[in-house]
Amino acid sequence: LARRPLIACLDADSMLEPDSLLRVVQPFISHPERMVAVGGTVRVINGCTVRKGRIVDVGLPRSLLAQLQIIEYLRAFLMGRLGWSELKALPLVAGAFAVMRRAAVIEVGGYARDTVGEDFELIMRLHRLMRDRGEDYEIRFVPEPVCWTEVPSDMCSLARQRIRWQRGALETFFRHAGMLFKPRYGRIGALSLGHCLIVDVVGPLAEVAGYVLVPLFWVTGLLDLDFALAYVALIFVYGIFISISSLVLEELELKRFEKTRHLLVLAFVAILENFGYRQINNLFRIVGWWQFLRGKKGSWGEMRRAGFTSAR
């Protein structure tokens, strides 16, 4: 139905800041021939006060589960997406908020209907098309345009979301596995899909196996206790460092949290997420793996939403 050169995709449970569209199209204005897709930052709207379609007060949700997801989103966008964009190997722009060149999207056939990771899969198809043609192109992340979205506030909805994300990542990876490490696909095949192989394909299986094997090796005497504790501490400290760094970047770049108290709470949450929340998420990802192996298709499942006006 769209007739203009660019199309903007926005989730139904999301809301843009007033200047987000102006900011997100800037790369298309600067490089109209090269730019294929641009994504902005996605932030958590839970806990914010919304009036007449605008956020009048940025707050924190009371739910610890939602607070943990704030840290996840900060890390994913202000560390992950920003880094991949600078490497010119961005594998995904957020399905919640993206602007794409209409002609390119139509040429690759639009969104796939047989995957629950349709945003990831579409971007990989765009990369593939441009690389096959040998075109000079760019898919970029821009931090300034902000989209606010509602995240799950109950464990059942979170589980369904993360299981779906894992299944979608696996569907996309194996559909485009032919690009992996092939010189023709450059950084996308080597870095982006290589990262997907390690983090999304092997990662959940290896990490959950570690939860079982490390204590087992210690009990059987195959692993020195001091080494095991030092290794686990190193992993936790590294995870905390990345999360705190993302929080610092958020404050330097976007400055959406005006109250010092909120930043202190989020710093504590960044430490807390390593003890339990991360492990639970990995169990959800194992379920996603199981559903993928069984060939489950479609179905997002029920996603409960409180709505913006009731968010406090």
Side-chain angles (χ1 to χ4, degrees), residues 21-310:
L21 286 176
L22 291 173
R23 290 177 177 273
V24 81
V25 299
Q26 189 61 46
F28 287 98
I29 296 171
S30 302
H31 307 284
E33 302 301 324
R34 296 180 61 235
M35 206 60 55
V36 174
V38 176
T41 300
V42 178
R43 302 291 303 275
V44 174
I45 202 170
N46 303 49
C48 299
T49 303
V50 179
R51 291 188 190 134
K52 297 181 180 180
R54 294 199 178 190
I55 295 177
V56 295
D57 181 55
V58 176
L60 289 184
R62 294 179 181 176
S63 163
L64 176 60
L65 195 61
Q67 292 175 4
L68 289 162
Q69 291 171 82
I70 291 176
I71 297 298
E72 279 188 302
Y73 276 66
L74 289 176
R75 186 171 58 240
F77 286 90
L78 291 180
M79 276 291 196
R81 302 280 168 84
L82 189 58
W84 284 117
S85 185
E86 289 299 312
L87 288 171
K88 300 188 185 304
L90 184 65
L92 170 68
V93 296
F97 178 38
V99 172
M100 294 177 277
R101 194 192 301 168
R102 174 181 168 271
V105 174
I106 290 177
E107 189 170 354
V108 296
Y111 285 109
R113 301 185 184 187
D114 57 351
T115 177
V116 291
E118 70 289 332
D119 47 356
F120 184 15
E121 198 281 328
L122 176 59
I123 295 300
M124 291 308 299
R125 215 166 344 123
L126 287 169
H127 277 301
R128 191 167 202 158
L129 172 70
M130 297 299 164
R131 290 279 177 173
D132 285 342
R133 286 180 168 180
E135 289 194 20
D136 182 22
Y137 77 101
E138 192 171 350
I139 294 176
R140 186 186 293 182
F141 166 76
V142 184
E144 289 83 7
V146 176
C147 166
W148 294 84
T149 192
E150 186 175 357
V151 299
S153 55
D154 64 276
M155 191 62 74
C156 290
S157 294
L158 180 69
R160 283 190 286 267
Q161 182 191 65
R162 299 313 165 91
I163 291 168
R164 172 170 54 84
W165 284 2
Q166 176 64 22
R167 210 168 82 231
L170 294 173
E171 290 169 353
T172 299
F173 174 82
F174 286 104
R175 182 171 298 185
H176 297 281
M179 299 168 61
L180 186 64
F181 301 135
K182 284 191 177 179
R184 179 180 190 176
Y185 297 107
R187 301 179 185 184
I188 301 302
L191 296 179
S192 301
L193 278 177
H195 176 267
C196 186
L197 173 64
I198 295 170
V199 173
D200 294 315
V201 179
V202 178
L205 304 175
E207 191 158 349
V208 171
Y211 300 156
V212 178
L213 293 178
V214 169
L216 181 62
F217 287 164
W218 170 66
V219 169
T220 57
L222 295 175
L223 185 64
D224 180 72
L225 177 60
D226 292 339
F227 175 82
L229 292 176
Y231 185 70
V232 170
L234 178 64
I235 292 172
F236 282 167
V237 168
Y238 175 72
I240 292 168
F241 170 76
I242 294 294
S243 297
I244 294 293
S245 298
S246 302
L247 189 58
V248 171
L249 275 180
E250 193 281 336
E251 181 60 19
L252 293 174
E253 178 70 25
L254 299 176
K255 297 182 175 67
R256 292 303 187 272
F257 293 108
E258 297 179 356
K259 299 177 181 177
T260 304
R261 177 174 59 87
H262 291 167
L263 293 172
L264 293 175
V265 169
L266 290 176
F268 174 74
V269 172
I271 298 172
L272 191 64
E273 73 159 340
N274 291 275
F275 303 92
Y277 180 72
R278 175 174 175 172
Q279 290 74 24
I280 290 171
N281 265 315
N282 272 306
L283 295 178
F284 294 155
R285 296 173 75 192
I286 291 295
V287 176
W289 242 116
W290 174 243
Q291 290 185 357
F292 172 76
L293 292 176
R294 290 176 56 201
K296 183 173 180 179
K297 297 292 182 183
S299 177
W300 276 33
E302 180 188 358
M303 299 299 294
R304 296 176 185 173
R305 293 288 185 263
F308 296 160
T309 54
S310 60

Side-chain angles (χ1 to χ4, degrees), residues 1-7 102-103 106:
L1 296 175
R3 290 294 175 265
R4 297 299 179 183
L6 302 180
I7 56 172
R102 174 181 168 271
I106 290 177

